[in-house]
């Protein structure tokens, strides 16, 4: 009897998980990811070592950790994705967003086992999210109009962000670096203009912000190594040989002498080009592409400093710093804007020579030189500083701030709890769960620091219920404290994005009741090695 | 087995089908049973996705990519299906998607239920063809009844409110319903700006749905213009252009390449210099030609090299390069410009105009997009979807597409029925009534059809957490008692079963197509009585 046999509708190798099994598998995956990064949260969070074929990384950054681990569980992949988006969008809070989403799912697991329909939970969560966002918004402060206060805010935010990273020991120093760098951008928010150069050697405190611009390139041979009042021509043009662009052309000659003539003509063309460039009245020529020996020599003869092979970003930044335009044709010298700077010289950092442009016209770009003992420290310092810079630029755009140290989370949890108490129906249970998940963030911060989280969080909860919404965790002393006095501030934008992304992702995972996996694509046998 | 072996006049066997023993074969009732099982299995997967309280499915592709969706067609497309009948179901949902764009889940659930009922009839010894005929008759009755209970609907650009409610019905089952009304409004506005009410048609080419991960779903917006995923060719070109006059070019900023094969030989120094001159001149003329027409933005389908790029910058002519073909067309439609294939043909009249062209940048990454808006012709629109992660943005795109399709269908055919399972229940009653008047065997088939129609409201009630049979029986009796075909399942617990008060609206064309397509497929499956698998397929089967 065929009809007794199971009918297989999927391809061999494809899998299907239904209802409870599917839910279980996504909860397990999501919670596992949450637990993995949980321990890095907060000022006393721990780092992770990531081993790959390319060497090792030591990091505290949630996005970096999640990016580097291979994951098969689909729900876990969703969490990794939100962490990546958080990184792209606001640059910080990559750990918090994953922890919050996984805590939400952990709570919902309990609700599902009480036979509450996922859609009911989602309805409750949505109301809770709206309420939490409203509470956060109404509590946020805006010092955007007061410059001195806003700077203080920025310093606080930078300090708070850096306090959970490797730079925590020098956080005052680096906060100042980061705030200075971001304020120089004058609100443009273009992080490209901030150049991070890593040079191993020295200690982290030897890092500094250079007002000018450092270019990790060499000056051509026999050319001046120091130029005052430089006029800079930033170019993007081939300086090897100019190709003929007319389609289908080729050189065909019938005698050796003609070849020599053509070669001369080519040389002449190059010389013309160099002359044209010099006619612009520049004494520094920086090209994105290679400069061959012959033009280099010509430049040297004319006393012009020529720097070759500055990569594309370098050229763009230079154009930004010096105020020149990126030039590719040289026939109209009068209409080309040249970049200017007071002094160009070679400087030594550690063992490497760099070219330093100081006294630049537009103060928008700057360079931060990071020094550190090992490559891992430098990499981590770069990531931390990048996070801080991202948060700061976001804050410059959206000047609202909220208090950190778990106080924002407690505030939202408080608002959600109050709403739940007023709501009749099953949604209230889901809202309670939402508030509980929010409270898990300060709990985790306290746990990571080795304090009694149950005691601290319940104290905090009582304070927030009493309306003291500036109270949060003081992780230095292991007690609750006033965040306003301690100056622990976070960007409103980051907190809101954490809240929204985490609830979106948790909702998405909760809605799933069926996981269908296609058979993995068979790999082509590898024929490269015999 | 019969038919595979024959004997010649001397009694020697000869083989008609080669390798008979290695081929799988199912015949007669066995084949039917197996098909029905497969179809039921597929319908079972989709059943829980039906309705506003339906849940999503998570699909993992062969490469490990993840899709989370509620859309029947997408689920089936990405399911790694091997069974031949299951594949037919996938195509069924696909054709509903192509034809109507919505109701892709419902059609599969209905087809599954029809086959399930057919199985019972087959067990009672009714010939499959008679079942199929009965279904056909029932479908005719059901469709007539649908038209009877349908209502006319005014579709005018002014009357947005009802259309928004329609779009909200479609979007109700998707994850985007957290910004339910906003999404519905976007979809309605998009259709309204491109719809051609005289021809009763909507050109979907004019609506582009773009997504970008990041931000939140509330940031989703409708842009009356075009978005292209490109930025200005030179970093120092202006990022914001007011009153743009756009030259739309499909020729590169390069010396022309004649189509005929040719060779240009440089024989002497003279030639070399001349060539150099020519090249220089060519660039100059090209830029000049563009500049002369008064254009202040160039959109180019091809690239241009650094020199041309700088020349453009110097002549204060911002440019965008490598813009894809479809985008070029959209820009041309939106700005009212002509696509110009040669520099010589560029004239003032052929330029497109736009109020503003600006660059959008996102978050901390360097990604940028170019927005062309306030165009002359506001008929090309772009829906720009944002969301916290990739899967949400993708699902948002699919949901918006569904909503757009539904509104378009209404522009084409302005009749509606009410949703929430109400038309199915009403049709089921009508078919049951009609069945009594039939004196032949088909009567049983029609009765089964009427029962199968109930599967949709049943699934709706089940997904919403009601006792399905109890709820259905209640509504059925009320529909007869109150003679009100608008009573359906109250999925959202709003306290009323009248779908008109709940304003749950679906289009007539979608419902009709669901019934007709489901019946067609059922008939086709019922007609198959012999399946042969080829030899290598047998090997694959475990």
């Amino acid at each position: 009897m065929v009809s007794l046999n199971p009918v297989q509708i999927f391809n061999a190798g494809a899998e299907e998980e239904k209802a409870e099994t599917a839910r279980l598998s996504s909860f397990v995956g999501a919670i596992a990811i949450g637990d993995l990064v949980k321990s890095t949260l907060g000022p006393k969070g721990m780092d992770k070592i990531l081993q790959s074929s390319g060497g090792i990384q030591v990091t505290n950054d949630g996005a970096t950790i999640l990016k580097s681990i291979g994951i098969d569980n689909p729900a876990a992949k969703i969490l990794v994705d939100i962490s990546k988006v958080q990184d792209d969008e606001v640059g910080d809070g990559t750990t918090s967003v994953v922890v919050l989403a996984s805590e939400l799912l952990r709570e919902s697991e309990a609700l599902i086992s009480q036979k509450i329909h996922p859609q009911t939970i989602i309805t409750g969560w949505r109301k809770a999210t709206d309420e939490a966002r409203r509470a956060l918004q109404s509590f946020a402060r805006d010092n955007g109009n007061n410059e001195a206060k806003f700077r203080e805010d920025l310093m606080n935010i930078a300090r708070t962000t850096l306090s959970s990273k490797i730079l925590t020991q020098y956080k005052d120093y680096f906060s100042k670096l980061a705030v200075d760098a971001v304020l120089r951008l004058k609100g443009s928010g273009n992080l490209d203009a901030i150049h991070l150069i890593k040079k191993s050697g020295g200690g982290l405190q030897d890092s500094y912000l250079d007002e000018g611009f450092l270019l990790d390139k060499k000056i051509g041979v026999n050319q001046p190594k120091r130029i005052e009042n430089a006029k800079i021509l930033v170019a993007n043009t081939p300086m090897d040989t100019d190709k003929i662009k007319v389609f289908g052309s080729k050189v065909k000659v019938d005698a050796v002498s003609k070849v020599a003539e053509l070669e001369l003509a080519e040389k002449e063309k190059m010389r013309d080009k160099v002359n044209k460039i010099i006619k612009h009245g520049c004494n520094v020529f920086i090209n994105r592409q290679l400069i061959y020996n012959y033009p280099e020599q010509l430049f040297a003869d004319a006393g012009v400093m020529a720097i070759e092979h500055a990569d594309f970003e370098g050229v763009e930044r230079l154009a930004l710093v010096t105020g020149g335009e990126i030039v590719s044709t040289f026939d109209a010298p009068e209409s080309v804007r040249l970049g200017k700077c007071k002094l160009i010289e070679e400087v030594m950092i550690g063992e490497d020579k760099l070219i330093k442009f100081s006294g630049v016209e537009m103060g928008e770009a700057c360079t931060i030189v990071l020094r550190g003992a090992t490559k891992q420290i430098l990499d981590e310092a770069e990531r931390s500083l990048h996070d801080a810079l991202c948060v700061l630029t976001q804050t410059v755009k959206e000047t609202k701030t909220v208090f950190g140290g778990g106080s924002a989370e407690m505030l939202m949890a408080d608002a959600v709890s109050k709403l739940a108490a007023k709501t009749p129906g099953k949604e209230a249970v889901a809202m309670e769960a939402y508030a509980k998940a929010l409270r898990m963030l300060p709990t985790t911060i306290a746990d990571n620091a080795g304090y009694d989280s149950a005691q601290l969080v319940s104290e905090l909860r009582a304070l927030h219920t009493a309306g003291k919404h500036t109270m949060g965790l003081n992780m230095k002393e292991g007690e609750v404290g006033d965040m306003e006095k301690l100056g622990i501030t976070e960007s409103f934008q980051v907190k809101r994005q954490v809240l929204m992304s985490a609830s979106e992702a948790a909702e998405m995972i909760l809605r799933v009741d069926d996981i269908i996996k296609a058979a993995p694509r068979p790999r082509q046998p590898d024929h490269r090695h015999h | 087995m019969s038919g595979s072996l024959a004997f010649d006049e001397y009694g020697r066997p000869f083989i008609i089908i080669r390798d008979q023993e290695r081929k799988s074969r199912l015949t007669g009732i066995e084949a039917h049973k197996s098909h029905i099982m497969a179809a039921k299995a597929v319908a079972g997967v989709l059943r829980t996705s039906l309705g506003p309280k339906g849940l999503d499915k998570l699909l993992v592709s062969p490469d490990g990519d993840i899709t989370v969706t509620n859309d029947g067609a997408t689920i089936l497309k990405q399911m790694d299906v091997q069974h031949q009948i299951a594949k037919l179901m996938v195509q069924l949902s696909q054709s509903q998607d192509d034809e109507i764009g919505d109701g892709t889940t419902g059609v599969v659930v209905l087809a599954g239920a029809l086959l399930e009922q057919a199985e019972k009839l087959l067990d009672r010894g009714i010939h499959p063809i008679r079942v199929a005929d009965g279904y056909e008759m029932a479908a005719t009755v059901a469709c007539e009844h649908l038209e009877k209970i349908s209502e006319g609907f005014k579709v005018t650009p002014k009357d947005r409110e009802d259309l928004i409610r329609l779009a909200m019905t479609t979007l109700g089952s998707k994850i985007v319903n957290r910004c339910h009304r906003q999404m519905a409004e976007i979809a309605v506005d998009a259709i309204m700006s491109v719809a051609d009410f005289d021809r009763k048609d909507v050109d979907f080419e004019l609506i582009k749905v773009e997504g970008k991960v990041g931000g939140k779903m509330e940031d989703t917006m409708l842009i009356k213009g075009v978005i292209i995923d490109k930025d200005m060719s030179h970093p120092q070109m202006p990022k914001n252009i007011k009153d743009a006059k756009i030259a739309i070019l499909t020729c590169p900023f390069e010396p022309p390449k004649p189509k005929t094969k040719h060779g240009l030989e440089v024989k002497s120094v003279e030639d070399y210099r001349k060539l150099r001159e020519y090249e220089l001149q060519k660039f100059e003329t090209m830029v000049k030609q563009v500049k002369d027409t008064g254009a202040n933005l160039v959109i180019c389908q091809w690239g241009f090299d650094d020199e041309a790029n700088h020349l453009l910058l110097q002549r204060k002519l911002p440019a965008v390069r490598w813009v894809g073909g479809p985008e070029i067309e959209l820009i041309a439609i939106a700005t009212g410009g002509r696509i110009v294939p040669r520099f010589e043909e560029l004239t003032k009249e052929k330029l497109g105009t736009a109020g503003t062209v600006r660059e959008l940048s996102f978050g901390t990454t360097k990604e940028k997009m170019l927005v062309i808006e306030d165009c002359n012709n506001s008929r090309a629109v772009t829906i720009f979807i944002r969301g916290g992660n990739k899967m949400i943005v993708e699902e948002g795109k699919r949901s918006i597409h569904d909503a757009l399709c539904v509104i378009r269908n209404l522009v084409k055919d302005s009749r509606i029925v009410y949703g929430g399972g109400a038309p199915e229940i009403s049709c089921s009653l009508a078919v049951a009534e009609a069945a009594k008047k039939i004196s032949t065997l088909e009567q049983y088939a029609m009765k089964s059809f009427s029962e199968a129609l109930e599967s949709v409201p049943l699934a709706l009630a089940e997904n919403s957490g009601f006792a399905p049979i109890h709820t259905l029986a209640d509504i059925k009796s009320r529909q007869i008692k109150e003679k009100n075909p608008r009573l359906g399942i109250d999925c959202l617990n709003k306290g009323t079963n009248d779908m008109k008060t709940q304003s749950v609206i679906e289009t007539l064309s979608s419902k009709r197509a669901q019934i007709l397509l489901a019946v067609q497929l059922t008939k086709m499956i019922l007609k198959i009585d012999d399946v042969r698998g080829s030899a290598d397929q047998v090997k694959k089967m475990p």
Side-chain angles (χ1 to χ4, degrees):
Chain A
M1 256 318 253
V2 185
S3 47
L4 281 182
N5 293 340
V7 180
Q8 177 149 18
I9 60 166
F10 292 116
N11 257 332
E15 290 169 42
E16 187 188 5
E17 288 172 359
K18 282 196 154 190
E20 295 310 313
T21 336
R23 238 170 245 138
L24 190 70
S25 119
S26 28
F27 287 155
V28 167
I31 291 169
I33 288 292
D35 287 346
L36 176 76
V37 290
K38 211 173 169 178
S39 64
T40 63
L41 199 71
K44 302 281 166 86
M46 307 296 255
D47 291 2
K48 308 259 178 245
I49 285 191
L50 306 167
Q51 249 177 329
S52 68
S53 54
I56 62 164
Q57 275 183 312
V58 182
T59 183
N60 181 287
D61 183 42
T64 314
I65 299 172
L66 293 177
K67 230 183 292 176
S68 329
I69 47 176
I71 295 173
D72 189 39
N73 187 294
K77 274 188 187 161
I78 294 182
L79 290 194
V80 173
D81 194 56
I82 57 168
S83 150
K84 197 177 142 288
V85 172
Q86 179 83 15
D87 196 26
D88 291 346
E89 193 68 14
V90 287
D92 193 29
T94 50
T95 312
S96 312
V97 70
V98 175
V99 173
L100 181 57
S102 80
E103 286 306 329
L104 279 171
L105 288 169
R106 195 196 300 273
E107 292 300 325
S108 71
E109 192 182 6
L111 297 182
I112 296 270
S113 65
Q114 290 172 32
K115 299 274 174 245
I116 295 181
H117 195 277
Q119 291 283 9
T120 316
I121 303 176
I122 287 167
T123 322
W125 279 3
R126 281 190 182 164
K127 286 184 189 156
T129 315
D130 287 343
E131 178 65 18
R133 190 165 55 146
R134 201 197 49 70
L136 193 66
Q137 195 132 22
S138 68
F139 189 64
R141 316 193 159 191
D142 192 348
N143 282 334
N145 301 323
N146 186 335
E147 205 168 311
K149 264 200 168 161
F150 185 55
R151 196 189 152 83
E152 187 56 32
D153 270 356
L154 286 182
M155 284 298 286
N156 282 339
I157 289 175
R159 260 199 294 267
T160 313
T161 306
L162 290 176
S163 66
S164 61
K165 318 270 169 171
I166 194 170
L167 301 175
T168 177
Q169 270 179 299
Y170 315 106
K171 67 181 173 198
D172 288 324
Y173 184 68
F174 278 99
S175 306
K176 200 170 161 313
L177 268 188
V179 172
D180 282 345
V182 167
L183 285 179
R184 289 175 76 89
L185 295 178
K186 302 197 178 78
S188 75
N190 185 3
L191 278 182
D192 288 348
I194 300 174
H195 190 197
L196 285 172
I197 291 184
K198 294 178 285 182
K199 288 280 169 210
S200 51
L204 276 173
Q205 72 274 23
D206 294 335
S207 313
Y208 62 96
L209 174 91
D210 200 302
E211 302 248 327
F213 185 79
L214 286 167
L215 191 67
D216 199 353
K217 290 286 174 252
K218 298 268 178 309
I219 297 174
V221 211
N222 283 335
Q223 288 163 353
K225 300 281 180 256
R226 183 187 150 92
I227 288 185
E228 278 179 46
N229 289 330
K231 293 196 203 73
I232 308 163
L233 185 70
V234 186
N236 176 14
T237 183
M239 289 302 275
D240 35 9
T241 44
D242 262 0
K243 270 175 279 169
I244 301 174
K245 291 189 196 72
V246 177
F247 183 69
S249 62
K250 66 176 178 198
V251 177
K252 191 175 176 187
V253 287
D254 40 18
V256 183
S257 59
K258 287 246 173 95
V259 178
E261 275 174 31
L262 266 176
E263 215 182 306
L264 263 179
E266 264 181 14
K267 261 193 171 173
E268 188 190 329
K269 191 177 172 187
M270 187 46 70
R271 195 166 60 228
D272 282 355
K273 194 169 183 178
V274 173
N275 282 338
K276 271 188 207 160
I277 291 170
I278 295 171
K279 250 192 218 140
H280 283 72
C282 60
N283 48 14
V284 180
F285 176 73
I286 299 167
N287 193 15
R288 185 169 85 84
Q289 302 176 25
L290 284 174
I291 301 176
Y292 266 31
N293 286 350
Y294 178 63
E296 188 179 327
Q297 181 200 328
L298 287 176
F299 280 124
D301 289 347
V304 170
M305 178 195 282
I307 299 163
E308 65 165 7
H309 217 239
D311 50 23
F312 200 78
E313 282 178 9
V315 165
E316 269 190 40
R317 270 193 209 117
L318 262 174
L320 255 181
V321 190
T322 61
E325 68 183 70
I326 303 172
V327 185
S328 297
T329 55
F330 307 98
D331 291 318
E334 62 286 347
S335 63
V336 169
R337 215 155 21 102
L338 291 180
K340 289 195 185 71
C341 82
K342 290 258 158 52
L343 180 67
I344 299 178
E345 59 184 344
E346 271 189 333
V347 288
M348 295 283 287
I349 296 178
E351 289 177 345
D352 299 300
K353 267 190 198 162
L354 294 147
I355 306 170
K356 179 175 169 179
F357 298 74
S358 41
V360 289
E361 193 160 82
M362 318 267 275
E364 280 193 24
C366 57
T367 306
I368 294 176
V369 180
L370 281 176
R371 308 299 309 272
T374 67
K375 191 173 158 291
Q376 280 79 23
I377 290 184
L378 277 175
D379 285 346
E380 177 66 358
E382 187 193 3
R383 275 191 292 273
S384 314
L385 205 54
H386 176 259
D387 277 9
L389 289 173
C390 285
V391 177
L392 290 175
T393 44
Q394 289 295 326
T395 319
V396 172
K397 277 186 202 158
E398 162 70 270
T399 51
K400 284 186 185 157
T401 55
V402 291
F403 290 117
S407 82
E409 283 83 4
M410 291 308 286
L411 162 87
M412 293 190 275
D414 182 47
V416 172
S417 283
K418 276 183 187 145
L419 183 70
K422 279 183 255 167
T423 312
K426 279 186 276 191
E427 286 103 4
V429 188
M431 287 154 119
E432 242 344 293
Y434 194 93
K436 211 166 155 198
L438 279 172
R439 277 188 206 110
M440 277 314 284
L441 284 170
T443 311
T444 313
I445 294 176
D447 276 341
N448 285 346
Y451 297 122
D452 184 355
S453 63
Q455 175 67 27
L456 286 174
V457 173
S458 57
E459 275 177 36
L460 208 53
R461 191 176 169 182
L463 284 168
H464 273 268
T465 316
K468 289 185 183 145
H469 291 315
T470 54
M471 300 305 272
L473 295 170
N474 177 355
M475 278 298 101
K476 256 187 213 140
E477 312 294 331
E479 57 186 29
V480 293
D482 192 337
M483 292 296 118
E484 194 170 9
K485 280 184 199 129
L486 290 167
I488 298 181
T489 314
E490 285 188 56
S491 149
F492 168 70
Q493 177 88 355
V494 171
K495 271 275 166 309
R496 189 182 55 189
Q497 187 70 26
V498 166
L499 185 77
M500 303 307 286
S501 290
S503 18
E504 240 168 47
E507 184 182 314
M508 188 161 205
I509 295 171
L510 189 60
R511 276 176 69 107
V512 170
D513 77 332
D514 206 329
I515 299 177
I516 300 167
K517 283 188 195 157
R521 198 179 295 282
R523 277 171 196 247
Q524 293 296 321
D526 199 346
H527 292 301
R528 280 174 301 182
H529 310 288
H530 291 283
Chain B
M1 275 195 204
S2 61
S4 55
L5 211 58
F7 300 91
D8 62 8
E9 64 247 52
Y10 305 108
R12 286 179 304 202
F14 65 90
I15 292 162
I16 297 173
I17 300 170
R18 276 174 61 202
D19 295 335
Q20 179 64 44
E21 67 283 358
R22 278 173 47 209
K23 285 183 182 169
S24 69
R25 185 173 178 202
L26 287 173
T27 48
I29 201 80
E30 297 302 327
H32 282 123
K33 284 276 172 69
S34 146
H35 296 164
I36 290 169
M37 289 264 276
K40 267 161 63 183
V42 175
V45 172
L46 288 194
R47 212 179 144 86
T48 52
S49 285
L50 198 71
K53 296 268 166 155
L55 292 170
D56 290 0
K57 306 277 172 280
L58 199 154
L59 302 145
V60 184
S61 82
D63 300 318
D65 293 333
I66 293 173
T67 312
V68 180
T69 182
N70 186 290
D71 182 45
T74 314
I75 298 173
L76 290 178
K77 214 190 307 173
Q78 307 227 348
M79 241 159 71
D80 197 4
V81 163
Q82 182 216 25
H83 195 278
Q84 55 277 16
I85 298 300
K87 276 187 184 154
L88 285 179
M89 300 288 271
V90 173
Q91 279 172 20
L92 168 72
S93 156
Q94 198 62 49
S95 58
Q96 172 87 10
D97 196 31
D98 294 344
E99 188 69 17
I100 306 292
D102 185 39
T104 48
T105 315
V107 69
V108 174
V109 172
L110 186 59
L114 283 173
L115 284 167
E116 195 177 343
Q117 294 293 335
E119 190 182 12
K120 286 185 200 152
L121 297 176
L122 295 181
D123 282 345
R124 291 158 90 173
I126 298 178
H127 193 272
I129 293 297
R130 301 298 290 271
V131 178
D133 287 349
Y135 277 4
E136 185 70 48
M137 286 161 73
T140 324
V141 174
C143 286
E144 275 167 14
H145 183 70
L146 265 183
E147 279 182 32
K148 226 183 287 166
I149 61 168
S150 72
E151 289 178 17
F153 197 80
K154 265 206 310 272
V155 188
T156 52
K158 282 171 213 135
D159 207 14
R160 273 170 78 227
E161 201 48 40
D162 288 327
L163 285 174
I164 289 173
R165 261 184 245 141
L166 171 80
M168 280 170 76
T169 310
T170 305
L171 292 174
S173 57
K174 321 275 179 188
I175 194 168
V176 296
N177 62 6
R178 66 179 296 150
C179 355
H180 204 161
R181 187 165 173 100
Q182 184 194 356
M183 289 288 182
E185 276 176 16
I186 287 175
V188 171
D189 287 348
I191 292 280
M192 284 301 123
S193 24
V194 303
D196 184 342
F197 287 100
D198 300 332
R199 278 198 306 126
K200 294 204 163 195
D201 197 16
V202 178
D203 189 359
F204 267 13
E205 299 269 299
L206 297 175
I207 303 177
K208 203 175 153 210
V209 183
E210 274 281 342
K212 187 102 189 165
V213 180
K216 48 194 184 303
M217 208 178 272
E218 283 83 351
D219 296 339
T220 300
M221 56 187 166
L222 176 75
I223 289 170
K224 301 231 162 152
V226 189
I227 288 192
I228 41 175
D229 201 350
K230 291 275 176 297
D231 55 354
M232 293 292 178
S233 62
H234 197 287
Q236 288 170 330
M237 285 178 181
K239 311 273 181 237
N240 201 335
I241 302 168
K242 287 253 180 276
D243 296 321
K245 295 194 185 56
I246 306 166
I248 304 160
L249 297 172
T250 51
C251 46
F253 271 91
E254 268 170 27
K257 288 180 191 172
K259 291 277 180 312
T260 40
K261 206 168 149 72
H262 70 291
L264 183 71
E265 288 180 356
V266 179
K267 282 204 181 122
S268 65
V269 181
E270 282 304 280
D271 289 355
Y272 185 82
R273 288 199 181 126
K274 262 189 211 152
L275 209 57
R276 204 174 124 191
E277 289 284 297
Y278 170 74
E279 238 181 57
L280 266 176
Q281 241 173 23
K282 204 70 208 169
F283 279 125
E284 289 277 340
T285 23
M286 280 189 291
V287 178
K288 193 164 173 293
Q289 269 164 347
V290 179
K291 196 75 191 168
D292 280 349
T293 58
N296 56 4
L297 176 66
V298 179
I299 306 267
C300 189
Q301 193 177 9
W302 301 97
F304 29 86
D305 66 3
D306 298 330
E307 269 158 51
N309 202 355
H310 178 250
L311 217 57
L312 288 167
L313 173 75
Q314 215 170 40
R315 302 284 143 88
K316 308 236 161 358
L317 196 59
V320 188
R321 55 182 156 183
W322 296 121
V323 181
E327 275 107 359
I328 283 262
E329 273 172 37
L330 263 181
I331 294 172
I333 294 170
T335 61
R338 292 265 294 277
I339 299 174
V340 181
R342 275 192 204 90
F343 285 96
E344 292 78 38
E345 287 170 21
L346 203 60
T347 58
K348 205 173 170 189
E349 293 74 44
K350 288 180 181 168
L351 297 180
T353 50
T356 40
V357 176
R358 62 193 162 92
E359 226 177 49
L360 274 183
S361 54
F362 299 99
T364 61
T365 52
K366 278 180 237 155
E367 285 169 76
K368 282 179 183 136
M369 278 179 155
L370 214 58
V371 182
I372 302 174
E373 44 181 13
D374 301 334
C375 301
N376 242 4
N377 179 359
S378 64
R379 290 198 41 206
V381 294
T382 307
I383 297 172
F384 189 53
I385 296 174
R386 307 297 310 272
N389 56 56
K390 202 168 66 203
M391 299 86 189
I392 286 218
V393 174
E394 288 302 313
E395 177 70 354
K397 276 191 195 171
R398 281 190 289 269
S399 313
I400 282 280
H401 175 256
D402 279 11
L404 290 175
C405 288
V406 172
I407 307 170
R408 177 200 55 184
N409 293 337
L410 202 64
V411 172
K412 277 186 175 166
D413 179 353
S414 63
R415 282 173 297 174
I416 55 149
V417 289
Y418 291 94
E424 280 88 356
I425 299 174
S426 177
C427 282
S428 153
L429 291 170
V431 171
E433 197 59 38
K436 289 179 197 151
K437 295 171 195 148
I438 308 282
S439 58
T440 48
L441 260 182
E442 279 84 5
Q443 190 194 59
Y444 284 89
M446 285 180 78
K447 270 193 196 155
S448 302
F449 187 93
S450 134
E451 268 174 53
L453 276 175
E454 283 168 10
S455 67
V456 173
L458 273 178
L460 274 179
E462 206 176 309
N463 292 344
S464 311
F466 301 124
I469 298 177
H470 182 257
T471 321
L472 182 65
D474 179 43
I475 292 172
K476 247 168 107 175
S477 73
R478 278 182 58 195
Q479 273 214 6
I480 296 174
K481 225 187 286 163
E482 299 170 20
K483 295 209 169 37
N484 182 356
R486 296 187 302 268
L487 293 176
I489 309 285
D490 177 20
C491 299
L492 297 168
N493 252 331
K494 283 192 180 163
T496 170
N497 288 98
D498 193 328
M499 290 299 134
K500 193 170 184 179
T501 7
Q502 283 210 15
S503 54
V504 179
I505 312 170
E506 285 181 61
T507 57
L508 172 68
S509 50
S510 157
K511 269 276 129 42
R512 197 172 46 199
Q514 272 186 9
I515 294 180
L516 289 178
L517 286 174
V519 168
Q520 258 176 34
L521 181 83
T522 317
K523 268 174 68 187
M524 185 168 131
I525 293 176
L526 284 173
K527 276 187 178 166
I528 304 169
D529 75 334
D530 199 339
V531 183
R532 289 164 194 275
S534 67
D536 48 276
Q537 215 181 342
V538 179
K539 237 187 281 163
K540 257 205 233 163
M541 272 200 199

